[in-house]
Amino acid sequence: MSPNAHRDVSSSSTAVTPELLQRRLDTRTKPQGSLGQLEWLALRIGAALDTDRPQFAQPTVMVFAADHGIAADGVSAFPSAVTAQMLGNYLNGGAAINVLARQHGLALVVVNAGVASDVRTHPALTTRCIARGTGNFRIEPAMSADQCHQAIEAGRELAADTLQRGCNALLLGEMGIGNTACAAMLLHKRTGWSLADCVGRGTGLDDTALARKLALLEQAAMRVPGAMSPFDGIAAWS
C-alpha cells in the first residue's frame, strides 16, 4: 500500500498548490494569520501530504539507539554505557519521548541499531544491530562501506514497512553517547564551516571539556582532509 493512499482528495481534484493551501487558511473564521506558526506548520503538512485537508494516519516515532566509537575519547560528559541505560528507559516508558508519544497518540518504535553494551531482549525492542558500536573515527573509519550500506538499508526497510501499514507521518530520532561529536564532524565536512562553529557542549560539557572535544575533533578531521560524498562521510564520521 502506498502512503499516498491516505491522502484526503475528496475536497477537490485541483492540484494542491501553496496558494490553494493559503486560501483555505485565509477563509476560515479567524483573522488572517492569527494562528502564527501553526499556520506555517499547516502549510508544510498540507504540502507534504498533497491535500488542503491534511489528516495524520497512524503517526509513528522511530528512535534508533547506537554507540559511537569516538565516545572512547571522552567527548561526552557520560560514558557509552549510558546508551544502553537510555535504551532501557525508552522500553520502560520513562523517557521524554515516551511522554510525548503518549500525550499525542503516537506509536513509538525503539530500535537497537548498534548499542555496544549488552542489551536484553524486550517485546517492544526492534533489533537491527549492524555492529556493537562504530569505530573511533579519530583513528579509523567509523564504518566500512558494507556496514554503512547495511545500516541505511535497515532504516529504509523499517520506514517502508511502517508506511505500508498505513502511517503517513514518520518522525525519526536517535540516541547514542558521542552523537553530537558525530553531528559536528558531519556538519563541518559537508558545509566547510569551522569546527569551532559546529562543536557544542552536548550533554553539558564545561569550558575545559568543550575545548578538549574541539581539539580531538580537529585531530580527527585531519585524518581525511577535504570534502567527501554524503555516503562516504556517513561511513567515515558516524
Side-chain angles (χ1 to χ4, degrees):
M1 180 185 298
S2 166
N4 293 345
H6 292 273
R7 291 174 175 169
D8 180 355
V9 296
S10 60
S11 61
S12 174
S13 60
T14 304
V16 177
T17 64
E19 293 76 19
L20 178 63
L21 292 168
Q22 187 66 59
R23 184 163 61 253
R24 178 160 178 79
L25 284 173
D26 291 344
T27 53
R28 302 306 90 192
T29 52
K30 62 172 183 59
Q32 290 188 8
S34 61
L35 298 183
Q37 290 297 307
L38 286 176
E39 298 198 15
W40 174 85
L41 182 59
L43 291 171
R44 294 287 300 274
I45 294 172
L49 297 180
D50 195 26
T51 174
D52 63 345
R53 297 176 185 239
Q55 291 185 338
F56 289 136
Q58 302 182 39
T60 300
V61 182
M62 197 171 288
V63 178
F64 296 81
D67 277 299
H68 304 280
I70 189 65
D73 282 347
V75 294
S76 172
F78 298 97
S80 61
V82 172
T83 301
Q85 294 171 14
M86 277 301 304
L87 182 65
N89 199 19
Y90 296 139
L91 296 171
N92 292 329
I97 188 59
N98 298 96
V99 175
L100 292 171
R102 287 194 295 268
Q103 284 183 333
H104 298 286
L106 310 175
L108 177 61
V109 178
V110 181
V111 183
N112 175 5
V115 177
S117 304
D118 291 337
V119 176
R120 291 184 294 178
T121 58
H122 190 285
L125 178 63
T126 298
T127 300
R128 294 293 188 275
C129 190
I130 307 305
R132 291 173 66 111
T134 63
N136 182 345
F137 64 63
R138 184 177 59 83
I139 57 178
E140 62 180 341
M143 292 185 284
S144 67
D146 183 59
Q147 288 174 324
C148 193
H149 278 297
Q150 290 181 55
I152 292 172
E153 186 58 29
R156 180 185 292 115
E157 289 176 355
L158 286 170
D161 180 64
T162 302
L163 296 174
Q164 287 170 359
R165 285 187 283 108
C167 168
N168 72 351
L170 180 59
L171 296 83
L172 303 177
E174 57 77 34
M175 189 276 153
I177 298 301
N179 55 1
T180 64
C182 298
M185 185 63 75
L186 289 168
L187 184 62
H188 164 65
K189 288 293 186 178
R190 291 306 302 164
T191 65
W193 297 347
S194 72
L195 269 171
D197 288 334
C198 298
V199 174
R201 296 182 185 274
T203 48
L205 296 178
D206 60 22
D207 289 347
T208 300
L210 178 62
R212 183 172 182 274
K213 178 180 180 180
L214 175 59
L216 287 166
L217 294 188
E218 288 176 336
Q219 180 182 346
M222 293 307 298
R223 183 176 62 80
V224 185
M228 306 177 76
S229 71
F231 176 86
D232 289 341
I234 292 171
W237 310 114
S238 293

